[in-house]
Amino acid sequence: MNCETNETTNRVPEAVIRRLPKYLNYLRELEREGELKISSFKMSCDLELNASQIRRDLSYFGGFGQQGYGYTVSKLRQEIENILGINEQHTMVIAGAGNIGQALMLYPSFKAQGYEIRAAFDISPERVGKSYGGVEVFHMSKLRDYIRENEIEIGVIAAPKESAQTIANEMIEAGVRGIWNYAPTDVRSEAKVAIENVHLNDGLYVLTYKMKENLGE
Amino acid sequence: MNCETNETTNRVPEAVIRRLPKYLNYLRELEREGELKISSFKMSCDLELNASQIRRDLSYFGGFGQQGYGYTVSKLRQEIENILGINEQHTMVIAGAGNIGQALMLYPSFKAQGYEIRAAFDISPERVGKSYGGVEVFHMSKLRDYIRENEIEIGVIAAPKESAQTIANEMIEAGVRGIWNYAPTDVRSEAKVAIENVHLNDGLYVLTYKMKENLGE
């Protein structure tokens, strides 16, 4: 852990970035319901966020709202999609074709959003050669070459915790620009690569907090 | 969507709650590394959050820091665990024993944190009667009675999107206090029940944003 990167870059706070998918899901729902405009006040109620925080968040990206008028739903939705790079095509591979790997291969909405899983890799002879949701499983020894030859952008780790860091290192060496890690241990790198370590427990912690709150504890 | 709940309650903003697991994971790591004290400045660097925001977040829960001294790592970790209810025992059932359901049953760190999956439910004859990670799969028709008789607190939905809302309604009727929904569609309820709809795509959006940023786009 070090602090240096923060001082030299002038980037949008990660907390803001993490709220964008929430805005996006909300705006998509409004659009499905036929809403054309949305005020930061209404957004603030529905999303349980401060209205001034919402305006501040969106202003990081140029601020698309108008005083006393609000935001145009479809425009704001498109802008957030552009910011997040959702309208672009992204290629992924998955290392580990066990339960989590299979669940990800079969998950319907990645491809719909431009995220294409091109191949999976595993060491188990039972899984190598199989396909899940149209994605073929190759032997893990081919991971590096596959990433290099196909210029894969994103490596997903769905392997046991013991091999997660080794796989991450291989993926980074082979040239991925991002790692999405589902193994129950964090992976790290000094390289200029984006890493998202998924903590399944976190959602559960938030859920139980809300449960306690409902009881007035 | 309505705004009324917000006006009558005086609760901690959801954005603050969502940052607590992040603080917790970080503090646990510091503890493993043998750190005794932590300043909000150092936390702010490592977590890429504003130091004043961290102090404000923690002050919602009584503010355990001391000016010019910082926080005691183990104490702050314990306080956050207490706030989130992590030191308590929680019971769960899973509806849907497909890939996601199995992955959750086999995930190592729920039980270690006090979250016990007591049973799973499915409609497929191939899965009913099997066990995954010591969790038995029963027929879905027994879901309601099982929740009632065992006073299950949390219902996890890992079923296809078409049946997610029906299952949520059954779980709520049977008395769960929280729903953790992995189906690729949101579930809702007017009842006083905590709901966490998981959006797997969200982490991927944040990852691709960071990737773009690394390229200086």
Side-chain angles (χ1 to χ4, degrees):
Chain A
M1 294 181 197
N2 73 74
C3 283
E4 287 158 41
T5 49
N6 256 5
E7 285 157 29
T8 49
T9 60
N10 185 18
R11 46 184 183 168
V12 180
E14 187 166 329
V16 177
I17 303 305
R18 295 202 173 273
R19 282 192 287 273
L20 294 183
K22 189 169 180 165
Y23 295 144
L24 179 59
N25 294 328
Y26 171 72
L27 291 163
R28 284 177 173 168
E29 193 181 317
L30 286 179
E31 241 182 325
R32 275 193 297 273
E33 290 170 358
E35 302 283 340
L36 300 177
K37 308 257 177 278
I38 184 73
S39 66
S40 51
F41 172 74
K42 174 88 167 66
M43 269 179 96
S44 132
C45 298
D46 289 338
L47 295 173
E48 300 187 24
L49 290 167
N50 206 296
S52 67
Q53 182 174 59
I54 291 175
R55 287 190 295 267
R56 206 164 51 232
D57 281 0
L58 299 176
S59 73
Y60 272 106
F61 307 101
F64 329 101
Q66 245 179 290
Q67 191 81 39
Y69 175 90
Y71 300 89
T72 305
V73 174
S74 62
K75 188 154 173 276
L76 185 55
R77 190 258 307 148
Q78 276 167 14
E79 295 281 4
I80 293 178
E81 284 180 350
N82 290 341
I83 291 161
L84 292 171
I86 288 175
N87 293 323
E88 298 153 24
Q89 292 297 308
H90 299 284
T91 52
M92 314 203 279
V93 294
I94 299 186
N99 285 307
I100 294 184
Q102 288 175 35
L104 294 172
M105 287 185 254
L106 296 164
Y107 201 71
S109 55
F110 298 137
K111 200 163 188 174
Q113 300 297 325
Y115 293 87
E116 197 194 347
I117 303 170
R118 298 278 291 273
F121 299 85
D122 205 292
I123 50 166
S124 155
E126 280 172 40
R127 291 174 194 149
V128 173
K130 285 210 176 132
S131 285
Y132 302 94
V135 180
E136 200 179 334
V137 183
F138 299 97
H139 194 273
M140 192 71 88
S141 59
K142 297 182 178 158
L143 175 68
R144 238 184 298 206
D145 285 347
Y146 190 96
I147 291 172
R148 254 189 220 120
E149 285 160 22
N150 297 279
E151 297 181 352
I152 298 297
E153 283 179 271
I154 300 171
V156 184
I157 301 174
K161 105 190 191 177
E162 294 70 27
S163 50
Q165 185 65 54
T166 309
I167 290 171
N169 297 345
E170 283 195 17
M171 287 174 161
I172 293 165
E173 244 188 82
V176 300
R177 290 168 41 215
I179 286 185
W180 201 26
N181 173 35
Y182 272 88
T185 186
D186 285 6
V187 300
R188 285 185 175 69
S189 173
E190 300 289 308
K192 203 174 178 187
V193 97
I195 296 180
E196 272 286 292
N197 289 302
V198 177
H199 301 117
L200 293 184
N201 284 34
D202 290 3
L204 206 44
Y205 298 160
V206 173
L207 181 72
T208 41
Y209 178 83
K210 288 183 185 170
M211 284 162 51
K212 278 175 68 169
E213 214 179 29
N214 275 345
L215 285 185
E217 279 173 15
Chain B
M1 295 183 199
N2 71 73
C3 283
E4 287 158 40
T5 49
N6 257 5
E7 287 157 28
T8 50
T9 59
N10 186 19
R11 45 184 184 167
V12 180
E14 186 165 332
V16 177
I17 302 304
R18 293 201 175 277
R19 282 191 288 273
L20 294 183
K22 189 168 180 166
Y23 295 143
L24 180 60
N25 294 327
Y26 171 72
L27 291 163
R28 284 177 172 167
E29 194 181 317
L30 287 180
E31 241 183 326
R32 275 193 296 273
E33 291 170 357
E35 302 283 342
L36 299 177
K37 307 260 176 272
I38 183 75
S39 67
S40 51
F41 172 74
K42 176 86 165 64
M43 269 179 95
S44 132
C45 299
D46 289 338
L47 295 173
E48 299 186 26
L49 290 167
N50 205 294
S52 67
Q53 182 175 59
I54 291 175
R55 287 191 295 269
R56 207 166 47 234
D57 282 0
L58 299 177
S59 74
Y60 272 106
F61 307 101
F64 328 101
Q66 247 179 289
Q67 192 80 41
Y69 174 92
Y71 299 90
T72 304
V73 174
S74 63
K75 188 155 175 273
L76 186 55
R77 189 258 307 148
Q78 276 168 13
E79 295 281 3
I80 293 178
E81 285 181 348
N82 290 340
I83 290 160
L84 292 171
I86 288 174
N87 293 323
E88 297 153 25
Q89 292 298 308
H90 299 284
T91 52
M92 314 203 279
V93 293
I94 299 185
N99 286 307
I100 294 185
Q102 287 174 35
L104 295 172
M105 286 185 256
L106 296 164
Y107 201 71
S109 56
F110 298 138
K111 201 164 186 174
Q113 299 298 326
Y115 293 87
E116 197 195 346
I117 303 172
R118 297 279 291 274
F121 299 85
D122 205 294
I123 50 167
S124 154
E126 280 172 40
R127 292 173 194 147
V128 173
K130 285 210 177 133
S131 285
Y132 302 94
V135 180
E136 200 180 332
V137 184
F138 299 97
H139 193 273
M140 192 70 89
S141 59
K142 295 184 179 156
L143 175 69
R144 238 186 295 205
D145 286 346
Y146 190 96
I147 290 173
R148 253 190 220 120
E149 284 160 23
N150 297 279
E151 297 181 352
I152 298 297
E153 282 178 272
I154 299 171
V156 183
I157 301 175
K161 115 188 186 176
E162 294 71 25
S163 50
Q165 186 64 55
T166 310
I167 291 171
N169 297 346
E170 283 194 17
M171 287 174 162
I172 293 165
E173 245 188 81
V176 300
R177 289 167 42 211
I179 286 185
W180 201 26
N181 173 35
Y182 272 87
T185 184
D186 286 5
V187 300
R188 283 184 177 73
S189 172
E190 299 289 309
K192 203 173 179 189
V193 98
I195 296 180
E196 273 287 293
N197 289 302
V198 177
H199 300 117
L200 293 183
N201 284 34
D202 291 2
L204 205 45
Y205 298 160
V206 173
L207 180 73
T208 40
Y209 178 85
K210 289 182 183 170
M211 285 161 52
K212 278 175 68 168
E213 213 178 30
N214 274 346
L215 285 185
E217 279 173 14

